[in-house]
Amino acid sequence: MIRYLKSARLTQGVTSDPAVTRTVQDLLRDVEENGDTAVRRLSVKFDGLDRDSYRLTEAEIRACIDGLTKQERKDLDFAQDQVRNFAKAQRDTMLDLEVETLPGVVLGHKNIPIANVGCYVPGGKYPLLASAHMTVLTAKVAGCDRVITCAPPFKGQIAPKIVAAQALAGADEIYVLGGVQAIAAMGHGTETIRPVDMLAGPGNAYVAEAKRLMFGRVGIDLFAGPTETLVIADDTSDGEVVATDLLGQAEHGANSPAVLITNSEALARDTLREIDRILQILPTAEIAGKAWRDFGEIILCDTLEEMVSEADRVASEHVQVMTADPDYFLTNMKNYGALFLGQRTNVSFGDKVIGTNHTLPTLTSARYSGGLWVGKFLKTCTYQRILTDEAAAMIGAIGSRLCHMEGFVGHAEQSNLRVRRYGGRNVPYGQPAEAL
């Protein structure tokens, strides 16, 4: 039986706030119609940064890289190496295909990198330089020709560590732009910014809504909401590690859900005590505590099967499994953004350093989507060729009859023409080819 030791006071909606949508629509339209003038005006208004050009110069970029300490550069290089290595391994699994499905009929597909990609790196509340690895670097591994990136200023100044991360990840153009104006500038283009074909990267509610509204004009990686974390644990774990891992993600924002699913009431109560204790000493307790009070949950289950069922229902962005047999959940779970198996790993490893991508589905979209990965920056496009007259006539005759079944005479004539030319048959115009 499933029961709640703690329930969320609020729930996340999957629909956009109409007021946010209206605001974002106006901002997108402003940039589309007024280009660089609007970008500059909005950047001054929202970010307090006024520049003639928001594209950083090579000297500015070099200064940001040179400003890293030796240890910061070493750590940044290590993290980017892990992301790059895993992305390359994933890319190697995506093979082009060509196969002769029938005598003389060749079908195939090619994995083609998206030509122009715009990556958004959030930095208003925290300078999230890790998002540069996850977007820019992954797109470069995919083989995208041009990868540009925008990040807002931090406290009115260029965020140097974000810029360094963007540059080291391989960004071709770096802009100190944030918010909706950044998404609009990359998506619509301006007098000085060439538009992109795809937008990627997380952001606040306004950035997420801007990406949603731009979808169709450009591609996007996924629809992103507030960070979510789910811990699945049994009595082999303890309250300190569970509480630490719940609050560690809750500090992302006051609307970040943090959920525990367990079959141990003792662990659940120990976790509650540890959460109260940690919130007395955590520097980000104001944010994390509000998120826990409003969106935190503890769900008690009797069986492993119930735990899997509840976890799939929650369909969380991050799922940390700390049980006697974590692989049971790897084998049986279907809905999650990323799994973190065992107590030795945790979500922050995935966020910052281990190599898997941290841009993941939220708001239960893990039911139908995975996260950002190298494959998101590739288009799998098919092709076909016919090598013999016999194959062209045979496929054409069947195609002719199928087209007539649907009432598409013009389609049928495309088939009939091949039957006449390559099969030597006199098919009356507008009639289906007879079976031989």
Side-chain angles (χ1 to χ4, degrees):
M1 184 177 68
I2 296 167
R3 55 207 185 277
Y4 284 74
L5 189 62
K6 180 189 181 304
S7 298
R9 298 196 304 193
L10 302 175
T11 57
Q12 292 286 1
V14 295
T15 58
S16 302
D17 181 340
V20 172
T21 299
R22 287 192 296 270
T23 297
V24 172
Q25 286 173 328
D26 290 343
L27 295 172
L28 290 174
R29 187 181 306 111
D30 190 6
V31 173
E32 182 179 18
E33 294 175 353
N34 300 300
D36 287 333
T37 299
V39 168
R40 185 172 187 175
R41 174 169 25 83
L42 295 173
S43 295
V44 172
K45 177 180 179 180
F46 293 119
D47 292 328
L49 185 66
D50 188 12
R51 291 170 58 105
D52 291 332
S53 171
Y54 288 86
R55 181 174 178 177
L56 298 186
T57 66
E58 289 300 320
E60 288 174 314
I61 294 168
R62 174 47 55 187
C64 292
I65 296 173
D66 291 345
L68 297 170
T69 67
K70 287 184 178 180
Q71 189 61 55
E72 287 173 338
R73 176 63 187 270
K74 183 178 180 180
D75 291 342
L76 194 54
D77 285 344
F78 178 87
Q80 292 200 346
D81 283 345
Q82 308 322 301
V83 175
R84 183 181 296 107
N85 292 341
F86 188 59
K88 284 182 176 178
Q90 290 181 305
R91 178 65 181 90
D92 289 343
T93 69
M94 300 187 67
L95 303 178
D96 291 350
L97 169 70
E98 185 170 286
V99 59
E100 190 169 2
T101 57
L102 292 167
V105 177
V106 175
L107 309 181
H109 75 227
K110 288 174 60 67
N111 294 298
I112 302 172
I114 293 169
N116 297 282
V117 173
C119 300
Y120 187 80
V121 179
K125 187 185 299 180
Y126 304 107
L128 297 179
L129 56 95
S131 289
H133 326 329
M134 307 299 175
T135 54
V136 177
L137 197 155
T138 307
K140 297 303 286 188
V141 170
C144 301
D145 293 334
R146 171 175 169 258
V147 181
I148 73 172
T149 182
C150 289
F154 187 64
K155 297 181 179 178
Q157 302 294 322
I158 294 171
K161 290 182 174 62
I162 288 181
V163 173
Q166 291 168 322
L168 294 172
D172 297 295
E173 302 164 26
I174 299 176
Y175 296 86
V176 57
L177 279 176
V180 176
Q181 64 268 26
I183 300 299
M186 291 191 288
H188 288 303
T190 71
E191 299 93 324
T192 60
I193 302 174
R194 193 154 51 93
V196 300
D197 305 309
M198 176 181 174
L199 293 165
N204 63 19
Y206 291 87
V207 168
E209 181 65 3
K211 287 173 61 182
R212 189 185 72 83
L213 292 172
M214 290 294 297
F215 180 59
R217 185 183 184 110
V218 296
I220 66 171
D221 50 354
L222 46 78
F223 297 113
T227 292
E228 307 163 349
T229 197
L230 166 64
V231 173
I232 300 172
D234 62 16
D235 57 10
T236 64
S237 190
D238 63 83
E240 180 184 23
V241 68
V242 173
T244 297
D245 290 340
L246 289 170
L247 294 176
Q249 291 301 302
E251 75 175 0
H252 264 284
N255 57 351
S256 290
V259 179
L260 168 62
I261 292 177
T262 182
N263 55 3
S264 169
E265 185 169 347
L267 173 65
R269 296 194 179 281
D270 188 26
T271 298
L272 282 173
R273 288 189 291 270
E274 285 295 316
I275 286 175
D276 288 341
R277 180 185 67 82
I278 293 171
L279 286 175
Q280 301 304 310
I281 57 175
L282 182 66
T284 54
E286 182 178 356
I287 295 171
K290 180 171 174 50
W292 175 249
R293 288 189 299 274
D294 289 345
F295 294 96
E297 293 187 328
I298 296 180
I299 303 171
L300 290 170
C301 300
D302 290 332
T303 66
L304 293 177
E305 291 80 6
E306 284 183 348
M307 293 168 75
V308 168
S309 177
E310 278 298 285
D312 278 339
R313 179 188 63 80
V314 172
S316 183
E317 176 187 17
H318 306 105
V319 179
Q320 188 162 343
V321 182
M322 297 185 288
T323 62
D325 182 14
D327 283 349
Y328 176 86
F329 294 88
L330 175 63
T331 300
N332 290 285
M333 278 190 65
K334 296 180 175 65
N335 301 335
Y336 55 87
L339 281 180
F340 304 82
L341 300 169
Q343 291 193 36
R344 292 185 180 90
T345 190
N346 66 86
V347 177
S348 74
F349 286 4
D351 281 346
K352 310 301 178 188
V353 67
I354 207 166
T356 54
N357 206 290
H358 78 191
T359 304
L360 300 167
T362 60
L363 300 173
T364 74
S365 61
R367 293 172 296 118
Y368 56 81
S369 177
L372 183 61
W373 70 297
V374 69
K376 289 274 190 176
F377 295 108
L378 296 162
K379 304 174 294 181
T380 301
C381 302
T382 60
Y383 62 89
Q384 58 175 270
R385 65 168 66 92
I386 292 182
L387 304 178
T388 66
D389 291 352
E390 294 80 5
M394 183 270 290
I395 293 291
I398 297 171
S400 170
R401 295 192 294 274
L402 290 170
C403 290
H404 274 279
M405 288 171 65
E406 295 180 346
F408 279 112
V409 178
H411 283 63
E413 278 306 303
Q414 291 180 270
S415 295
N416 287 343
L417 183 67
R418 273 67 186 180
V419 176
R420 298 182 191 112
R421 289 194 177 186
Y422 300 109
R425 297 174 59 189
N426 185 21
V427 181
Y429 188 89
Q431 298 298 313
E434 293 184 1
L436 296 178

